[in-house]
């Protein structure tokens, strides 16, 4: 995710978090199709459709999404809060070298703790 964020500068990077049972084992960068990619992100809808289809067919679970904040903090922005759907997915937000994880709950974003393992 940090590499995707660095590669996308000065734009926001975005992508999908795949895994199973709450364990993310892959972060897949996806094209940011936002009209203003310097300030916003929008995951390429085709990539989302493909991920949902793969999940239905027994592939990895779509646990959530990541995006970067080229300027600002590793926390949900007012835009992120406005656009969140409350679907319970995990959001990872990258800013500088900081990465934070959140659940998109109906009541708002709740920060998650996380642990990185080698396996
Ligand atoms: Zn954001």
């Amino acid at each position: 995710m940090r590499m995707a964020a660095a590669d996308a500068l000065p734009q926001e990077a975005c992508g999908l978090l795949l895994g199973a049972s709450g364990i993310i084992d892959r972060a897949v960068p996806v094209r940011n199709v936002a009209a203003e990619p310097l300030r916003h992100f929008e995951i390429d809808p085709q990539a989302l459709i493909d991920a949902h289809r793969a999940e239905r067919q027994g592939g990895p679970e779509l646990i959530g999404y990541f995006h970067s904040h080229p300027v600002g903090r590793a926390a949900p922005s007012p835009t992120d809060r406005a656009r969140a759907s409350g679907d319970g997915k995990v959001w990872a937000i990258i800013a500088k070298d900081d990465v934070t994880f959140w659940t998109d709950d109906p009541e708002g974003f709740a920060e998650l703790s996380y642990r990185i393992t080698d396996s």
Side-chain angles (χ1 to χ4, degrees), residues 20 28 32-33 52 60 95-96 98-99 110:
V28 182
N32 179 358
V33 297
H52 283 294
K96 309 215 167 51
D98 216 8
V99 183

Side-chain angles (χ1 to χ4, degrees), residues 5-54:
D7 286 348
L9 285 172
Q11 299 190 353
E12 293 196 11
C14 61
L16 306 176
L17 302 175
L18 304 177
S21 310
I23 297 171
I24 297 162
D25 53 32
R26 235 177 338 145
V28 182
V30 169
R31 202 159 58 96
N32 179 358
V33 297
E36 289 184 87
L38 295 179
R39 299 177 51 232
H40 299 294
F41 80 99
E42 185 178 341
I43 291 172
D44 182 349
Q46 187 60 53
L48 276 179
I49 292 166
D50 292 347
H52 283 294
R53 181 179 300 129

Side-chain angles (χ1 to χ4, degrees), residues 12 39-41 67-69 73 75-77 79-80 91 93:
E12 293 196 11
R39 299 177 51 232
H40 299 294
F41 80 99
H67 74 284
S68 65
H69 288 168
R73 300 183 313 120
S77 68
T79 307
D80 293 333
W91 286 43
I93 301 178

